[in-house]
Amino acid sequence: MAGMPSPENVSTRLQRIAELARNAPDMAFTNLAHHIDEGFLHEAYRLTRKDGAVGTDGTTATEYERQLQGNLRSLLDRFKSGTYQAPAVRRSHVPKGDGSKRPIGIPTFEDKVLQRAVLMVMEAVYEQEFLECSFGFRCGRSAHQGLEMVWQGLMRMGGGWVLEVDIRSYFDSLDHGHLRGFLDQRVRDGVIRRVVGKWLKAGVLEEGAVIYPEAGTPQGGVISPLLANIYLHEVLDKWFEAEVKARLSAEAFMVRYADDFVIVFRSELDARRVMDVLPRRFEKYGLRLNEQKTRLVYFERPRVDRGARPGTFDLLGFTHYWGKSRAGKWVVKRKTAKDRMSRALSRISEWCARYRHLPIADQHRALVRKFRGHFGYYGITGNSRSLGAFRYQAQCIWKKWLDRRSQRARMPWERFNVLLKRYALPKALVVHSIYHRAANL
């Protein structure tokens, strides 16, 4: 589009919003929507994934692009005038590791573009609000950074008591009234708030019927993670930092990634007090804890004079436990959690079963991508044994399904090993090394 602002110009606008939000922490923004023009929408379009499933209107990204300028101009007019109608979200289901299914929402492509644009301006404001304990769905922050913060805190404290918390159906439980109240503190722009309200009320299409949820964030929406972060920022993060810490007798810290979080306490008494009050705090805002998955774990560094052995806890797909280093010292170690390992291997098996009749070269290319993706997340220092176990078991799964390509003869291991020399699978790799990070620092 001729005359459209470059990504750098859009970035400059967002930096100005961020600077104003940082310098005026008590100010509520009333004119954010004027930053969103046709060029801004074009940048939002550029950042929107083009390969997702289609929404209720059946329009693909390719079809939308054919009349891109006209589509974006129409979208801008409807957004600014308040005539934009948030379309119903198409609901689908994906299998979970425990055999059940998780519902996911699929918005229309145009809705994704507009949500991306609104997300960009709101994120510029709230990134100045969010606290250091929050890592989920934030620019420049990652799950591995959250894991590192937990590791460093536990090592510094010599362990302690870990409150492992699970919120029941969090993204479906956010109270819209409370969320609007939280948004009032920082974003009062009428155009922005009107479209956010429409997304909250948008219907969900499933099996030919449209239902209208009374709570929760927009299913599958680009804006949903930000709204969910805003909610827990007010309900949990600020409360813990400003009110809880002041009443504790010893050190404590929290790390949260979206709705997944742990709180580490030096004092058992502090931990039990917070564990008692946390359900009441959440119920006040319409949230409930999953009692079966919420637990307090004794996690102090092992000592000869203490009989109790420390427990383990899971966070972000890793089981944390105490073990000996090569130098013989007690350190916090991490390994792939059992449920995550089982889920990853199940996905490999399902894929191999479905595509076992593809040419070997095609199967190999796909498996290489899957292996690299697994090692890219779980490849952290100290997790080599789990990585190696995944690689070996995944290779066995591949062989099993290659055997079933023919009923006449199975592939002996000698032949399969020859095949692996030609079509080698990635070796277990530590991608996130504490030693490399220390060297870079």
Side-chain angles (χ1 to χ4, degrees):
M1 295 182 189
M4 287 297 150
S6 66
E8 291 76 16
N9 289 336
V10 172
S11 177
T12 300
R13 297 187 200 179
L14 296 176
Q15 289 174 9
R16 290 172 182 166
I17 297 173
E19 184 178 358
L20 182 57
R22 189 166 49 249
N23 294 334
D26 297 324
M27 185 183 78
F29 286 78
T30 59
N31 59 349
L32 286 176
H34 87 273
H35 292 284
I36 300 178
D37 55 18
E38 198 173 327
F40 199 98
L41 282 180
H42 191 274
E43 177 63 6
Y45 162 81
R46 187 183 71 82
L47 295 173
T48 301
R49 284 186 56 182
K50 312 298 190 297
D51 58 350
V54 298
T56 53
D57 64 355
T59 303
T60 66
T62 301
E63 293 168 341
Y64 195 83
E65 187 178 10
R66 290 173 186 160
Q67 300 292 331
L68 183 59
Q69 186 169 353
N71 286 333
L72 293 182
R73 186 176 297 120
S74 170
L75 177 60
L76 181 66
D77 290 343
R78 285 175 283 138
F79 166 62
K80 291 292 183 73
S81 66
T83 59
Y84 179 80
Q85 298 298 318
V89 175
R90 182 167 68 86
R91 177 180 283 172
S92 182
H93 293 84
V94 296
K96 296 174 63 176
D98 58 4
S100 62
K101 291 188 176 182
R102 173 186 288 113
I104 60 170
I106 305 173
T108 65
F109 181 77
E110 182 175 70
D111 207 43
K112 293 177 185 177
V113 173
L114 184 56
Q115 287 195 34
R116 173 69 61 185
V118 173
L119 169 70
M120 289 160 65
V121 294
M122 289 184 64
E123 208 170 44
V125 174
Y126 280 101
E127 273 302 313
Q128 321 314 312
E129 287 276 306
F130 293 149
L131 304 181
E132 286 297 310
C133 63
S134 171
F135 290 88
F137 304 108
R138 295 182 57 191
C139 184
R141 311 204 108 201
S142 69
H144 291 100
Q145 291 174 333
L147 290 165
E148 180 70 9
M149 184 175 181
V150 171
W151 186 85
Q152 290 183 356
L154 287 168
M155 290 296 295
R156 184 186 69 253
M157 292 170 55
W161 292 80
V162 178
L163 182 55
E164 186 181 356
V165 184
D166 184 83
I167 307 175
R168 190 185 300 275
S169 302
Y170 172 63
F171 287 90
D172 296 328
S173 304
L174 272 68
D175 181 272
H176 292 172
H178 287 304
L179 178 58
R180 293 187 184 96
F182 296 151
L183 291 173
D184 283 343
Q185 299 177 34
R186 286 301 256 166
V187 177
R188 295 182 189 169
D189 182 291
V191 177
I192 296 287
R193 291 296 300 275
R194 182 166 53 227
V195 75
V196 170
K198 290 180 178 180
W199 285 324
L200 292 175
K201 296 177 180 178
V204 177
L205 176 64
E206 184 174 19
E207 298 181 352
V210 178
I211 59 174
Y212 295 90
E214 298 180 357
T217 58
Q219 282 205 355
V222 178
I223 197 75
S224 293
L226 176 63
L227 297 179
N229 263 340
I230 293 171
Y231 205 88
L232 276 185
H233 170 72
E234 297 291 340
V235 173
L236 178 64
D237 301 358
K238 288 172 63 175
W239 171 73
F240 180 75
E241 290 294 328
E243 299 183 36
V244 174
K245 278 189 173 181
R247 293 173 170 83
L248 300 180
S249 63
E251 182 182 1
F253 69 92
M254 180 177 68
V255 171
R256 179 175 68 82
Y257 189 95
D259 62 327
D260 197 359
F261 69 95
V262 295
I263 310 177
V264 181
F265 302 86
R266 188 182 294 276
S267 163
E268 178 184 1
L269 179 60
D270 288 341
R272 296 196 179 279
R273 288 170 58 200
V274 173
M275 188 176 184
D276 288 341
V277 74
L278 194 60
R280 295 195 295 272
R281 172 69 180 181
F282 275 22
E283 287 171 5
K284 178 180 177 181
Y285 295 96
L287 302 176
R288 294 177 58 198
L289 298 185
N290 187 331
E291 296 180 356
Q292 294 181 341
K293 295 183 179 180
T294 298
R295 62 195 185 105
L296 185 61
V297 179
Y298 167 67
F299 198 75
E300 289 187 356
R301 180 184 284 121
R303 297 188 322 210
V304 177
D305 60 340
R306 188 157 188 169
R309 292 176 59 86
T312 66
F313 69 93
D314 289 354
L315 178 67
L316 298 175
F318 292 91
T319 297
H320 294 65
Y321 64 101
W322 283 100
K324 287 287 187 73
S325 68
R326 292 180 180 178
K329 296 181 179 180
W330 287 108
V331 295
V332 176
K333 293 191 171 185
R334 285 107 26 116
K335 63 182 179 181
T336 308
K338 288 183 179 180
D339 62 333
R340 295 296 184 93
M341 177 72 84
S342 298
R343 190 185 310 172
L345 292 173
S346 294
R347 288 174 178 169
I348 293 289
S349 183
E350 290 169 2
W351 189 92
C352 289
R354 183 175 182 182
Y355 297 104
R356 64 184 181 273
H357 294 297
L358 286 178
I360 298 295
D362 292 345
Q363 293 188 43
H364 173 254
R365 280 192 292 269
L367 288 172
V368 166
R369 290 194 296 269
K370 294 179 185 299
F371 273 51
R372 288 176 176 166
H374 185 88
F375 297 151
Y377 184 78
Y378 293 102
I380 66 173
T381 301
N383 196 32
S384 297
R385 183 176 296 179
S386 292
L387 299 178
F390 169 82
R391 184 176 188 269
Y392 173 75
Q393 293 181 55
Q395 286 184 166
C396 292
I397 290 170
W398 191 23
K399 179 187 180 300
K400 181 186 78 171
W401 288 108
L402 288 178
D403 281 345
R404 299 187 182 186
R405 282 158 63 102
S406 171
Q407 296 180 353
R408 290 176 294 178
R410 295 199 170 192
M411 180 183 295
W413 272 100
E414 293 79 5
R415 184 181 166 196
F416 183 66
N417 288 331
V418 172
L419 181 145
L420 285 179
K421 289 182 179 179
R422 181 177 180 185
Y423 297 103
L425 293 169
K427 294 183 178 180
L429 180 64
V430 174
V431 178
H432 307 278
S433 169
I434 59 174
Y435 306 111
H436 293 166
R437 185 162 52 253
N440 291 332
L441 290 175

